[in-house]
Amino acid sequence: MKTSARFAAIVAITVAWNAAHAAAPTSAAAAATTPRRPNIIFFLSDDHAYQTIGAYGSKFMPTPNLDRIAKEGIRFDRAFCTESICGPSRAAIMTGKYGHVSGAMGWLPYDHKHRTFAEYLRDGGYQTALVGKYHQGNDPVGYDYHDILPGQGVYHNPTFISAQGKRVIPGFVSDIIADLSLAWLEQRDPNRPFAICINDKAAHLSWQPAKRYESLFDGKDLPEPASIGDDHAKRAEAVKPTWLRVDQLLRWQGKEWGEPPAGLTPEQRRSWLYQKMMKSYLGCVAGIDDNVGRVLDWLDRNDLAEDTIVIYSSDQGFLLGEHGWFDKRWMLEESQRMPLLVRYPRLIKPGSVTDAMVLNTDFAPTLLNLAGLPVPADMQGRSLRPLLAGEAPADWRHSVYYRYYATEYAMPPHYGVRTERYKLIHYQGPIGVDDGTPTGDKKSIARTVDEWELLDLKADPGETTNFYHDPKYQAVAADLHRELDRLRRELGDAPVAAAPAASGLNLQGVLGPMNSGPETPPPATRRK
């Protein structure tokens, strides 16, 4: 797996770390007089769908190392992102704040005046590191050491950026990220707690697994989701134009996959594309699991497992053929819901499961709280510590607010509320088509929408039917409007005041502009 060039690169980063550590401010004396604090290893993957993890009931493949975290710790079954797209979700994780507060809305970067958990941890005596995908520029703040991918990065022979500059490291990106992380861990100061963010590029499109996994599913037909043929006839009109569909995958993957065999029916062609997508995607997931296992094994060899918090998550979920779609963005379960597995033997009972509603804005306050540091009052999330300890706080949230800003791929900006059973979604704003992958007649697709949708997760767990105009749901809709209004005001994303509609349902008023602008990089680099 390792080449001499890769080994040389690893030696170079350890030298860089030694230099940075020698120069960095230290609070070793303070650490010696304070109680032992946990180490932190935070794995954050990219677009990793919970439905492909064994601990979440995956029907595709085993993920023994991720499952080990769940078996020895806790599985969160209702962890959600505040905006299902890479940059904004990562900013929410780092700052503990929604995008309308941090500035990370759609494609806008977060404002660095908002401090991150890494900055607070370092100020509190932790040695900090970030390896892999950052996706917030090329100069991370709060880390003693960083070695990051530029932008999205590539799967094979990737470029990395450290304080010493850029270089290409031969090999597969997930393996290299683990190599660099383990090298830093070996060189850490053993007398101080550490916090390292290990951010894999996988499993982001264009799904190019390591060579050892290219034939993992040869000869196998992977099961298709029940809703892959959904025609959206019972959904809001606003969801229908998008071309982020399985049958349109060759717009992004044509170079990798080539053309399907001639003579296929539309359904057969879609199935061919689905199999290509899943086998490539799952090959990348296998690489994630491998390298998580390498780090867990390192903790065991160094007798650090008891004193180390291990977190595994993804920046958001991912649609894998559900509703006929791929990608994220939507306020649907497969997109909005994130995997979240946490192990910390000193606090968490092995095999724990919780269905409490948690958010990516909770991650930062949780890490600070577990590290024994104060949680800043301006963070909008809440520490998960009581949930990790098996408690069920009476005042825990029963609803979450979501807002998606971008206007591309012929899908609408939208915002909404999810409760224990229902979702109320408002599609409002322009459906953009200027993203480099047009399909059909732009004039017939481009439009401005203003439409509501109500989903019932109990009556329709597949989220295929809009009940908003059903007379039986009018009281439910009114309650959801009031809850949405409450959340928006509480979070500081309040609507402009407006009189309720005659029906009593439209309590939100009129939003300000939601369009953050379509992406401007060339199509090959603009997936996030």
Side-chain angles (χ1 to χ4, degrees):
M1 182 191 300
K2 297 180 174 63
T3 65
S4 58
R6 226 164 89 198
F7 179 76
I10 294 167
V11 170
I13 71 102
T14 59
V15 171
W17 157 245
N18 285 334
H21 174 64
T26 179
S27 55
T33 61
T34 56
R36 177 176 54 194
R37 292 187 291 170
N39 303 307
I40 298 167
I41 293 181
F42 185 180
F43 295 100
L44 185 67
S45 296
D46 195 321
D47 289 355
H48 190 186
Y50 68 86
Q51 61 268 35
T52 65
I53 297 174
Y56 284 101
S58 171
K59 55 189 175 183
F60 300 110
M61 60 183 286
T63 50
N65 295 299
L66 297 178
D67 299 348
R68 178 182 166 191
I69 300 174
K71 182 179 179 180
E72 298 173 357
I74 187 170
R75 185 188 79 215
F76 287 81
D77 282 352
R78 293 198 292 187
F80 302 105
C81 58
T82 53
E83 184 179 5
S84 185
I85 192 167
C86 292
S89 181
R90 289 164 188 266
I93 289 169
M94 291 160 50
T95 65
K97 300 173 184 177
Y98 271 81
H100 65 270
V101 174
S102 73
M105 300 171 287
W107 295 101
L108 299 176
Y110 88 96
D111 188 332
H112 282 213
K113 73 180 182 183
H114 298 280
R115 304 192 78 211
T116 67
F117 70 77
E119 293 176 87
Y120 289 114
L121 287 173
R122 187 171 66 174
D123 289 351
Y126 274 73
Q127 49 196 318
T128 57
L130 167 65
V131 182
K133 180 176 175 180
Y134 178 53
H135 213 57
Q136 302 287 333
N138 292 331
D139 189 19
V141 292
Y143 298 98
D144 297 313
Y145 161 71
H146 70 266
D147 227 329
I148 62 172
L149 299 165
Q152 188 54 245
V154 297
Y155 275 105
H156 298 280
N157 305 324
T159 296
F160 279 82
I161 302 172
S162 71
Q164 284 65 48
K166 294 184 179 181
R167 81 269 193 224
V168 174
I169 304 180
F172 178 62
V173 67
S174 300
D175 298 338
I176 297 168
I177 289 170
D179 290 344
L180 296 171
S181 300
L182 291 169
W184 181 83
L185 287 167
E186 288 288 355
Q187 293 294 315
R188 79 197 188 285
D189 177 355
N191 297 313
R192 296 169 59 207
F194 65 80
I196 181 170
C197 298
I198 304 176
N199 293 7
D200 210 320
K201 170 188 167 55
H204 189 277
L205 188 148
S206 58
W207 309 313
Q208 299 172 24
K211 192 167 184 65
R212 63 186 181 275
Y213 289 125
E214 287 178 351
S215 58
L216 184 62
F217 297 97
D218 282 1
K220 299 179 182 178
D221 282 329
L222 298 171
E224 296 182 353
S227 62
I228 194 169
D230 188 0
D231 62 4
H232 310 111
K234 298 179 180 180
R235 293 285 308 281
E237 290 296 318
V239 311
K240 297 178 182 179
T242 185
W243 51 76
L244 289 173
R245 305 193 307 265
V246 173
D247 62 13
Q248 296 291 323
L249 267 166
L250 290 186
R251 296 181 179 278
W252 293 270
Q253 294 293 105
K255 184 177 179 181
E256 295 291 326
W257 299 346
E259 289 294 324
L264 299 181
T265 66
E267 291 76 16
Q268 290 171 332
R269 183 179 184 278
R270 184 186 64 211
S271 292
W272 185 89
L273 291 167
Y274 173 80
Q275 295 297 322
K276 283 284 189 181
M277 173 181 72
M278 291 304 300
K279 292 176 181 181
S280 301
Y281 181 95
L282 293 172
C284 294
V285 170
I288 293 173
D289 190 73
D290 266 1
N291 286 293
V292 167
R294 292 175 61 199
V295 178
L296 296 180
D297 290 346
W298 181 89
L299 288 173
D300 288 342
R301 289 195 305 272
N302 288 273
D303 296 322
L304 290 170
E306 287 291 314
D307 292 318
T308 301
I309 302 163
V310 176
I311 301 172
Y312 182 85
S313 191
S314 173
D315 47 9
Q316 60 260 327
F318 203 77
L319 287 151
L320 290 168
E322 295 88 359
H323 307 278
W325 295 336
F326 74 98
D327 207 62
K328 52 268 185 181
R329 305 167 190 269
W330 298 101
M331 194 180 157
L332 296 173
E333 288 298 279
E334 296 85 2
S335 167
Q336 185 185 10
R337 185 176 157 196
M338 312 159 69
L340 178 58
L341 308 171
V342 185
R343 186 186 76 176
Y344 183 29
R346 295 195 181 278
L347 179 65
I348 302 169
K349 180 181 177 182
S352 298
V353 178
T354 178
D355 65 356
M357 288 187 173
V358 305
L359 289 166
N360 52 358
T361 52
D362 296 331
F363 292 13
T366 300
L367 292 174
L368 298 182
N369 184 212
L370 293 176
L373 299 172
V375 176
D378 63 348
M379 285 189 173
Q380 295 178 295
R382 182 173 176 180
S383 174
L384 303 178
R385 185 182 188 117
L387 301 178
L388 298 176
E391 301 169 9
D395 62 345
W396 198 261
R397 68 173 69 91
H398 294 283
S399 64
V400 295
Y401 176 58
Y402 178 88
R403 186 170 176 184
Y404 172 78
Y405 293 83
T407 59
E408 57 200 1
Y409 305 113
M411 65 169 289
H414 54 283
Y415 67 98
V417 59
R418 186 208 195 276
T419 66
E420 303 282 352
R421 175 172 173 175
Y422 301 106
K423 291 181 184 178
L424 179 69
I425 308 170
H426 190 192
Y427 303 103
Q428 185 187 50
I431 289 182
V433 296
D434 187 17
D435 55 41
T437 58
T439 181
D441 179 3
K442 283 188 178 183
K443 291 183 179 179
S444 69
I445 295 171
R447 68 194 74 173
T448 297
V449 299
D450 187 353
E451 189 174 8
W452 291 92
E453 188 165 62
L454 193 160
L455 304 176
D456 184 339
L457 297 169
K458 181 178 179 181
D460 177 35
E463 300 179 291
T464 61
T465 302
N466 178 14
F467 294 100
Y468 188 76
H469 300 289
D470 187 327
K472 297 177 184 177
Y473 284 82
Q474 294 308 287
V476 171
D479 288 343
L480 290 170
H481 273 287
R482 282 187 283 269
E483 180 64 4
L484 178 57
D485 190 67
R486 182 191 70 80
L487 285 173
R488 295 193 64 217
R489 294 186 186 281
E490 180 180 287
L491 293 166
D493 197 25
V496 177
S503 67
L505 297 181
N506 187 14
L507 306 181
Q508 293 309 301
V510 180
L511 278 174
M514 296 180 73
N515 180 14
S516 63
E519 296 177 83
T520 54
T525 61
R526 77 168 86 176
R527 293 295 302 144
K528 289 224 173 89

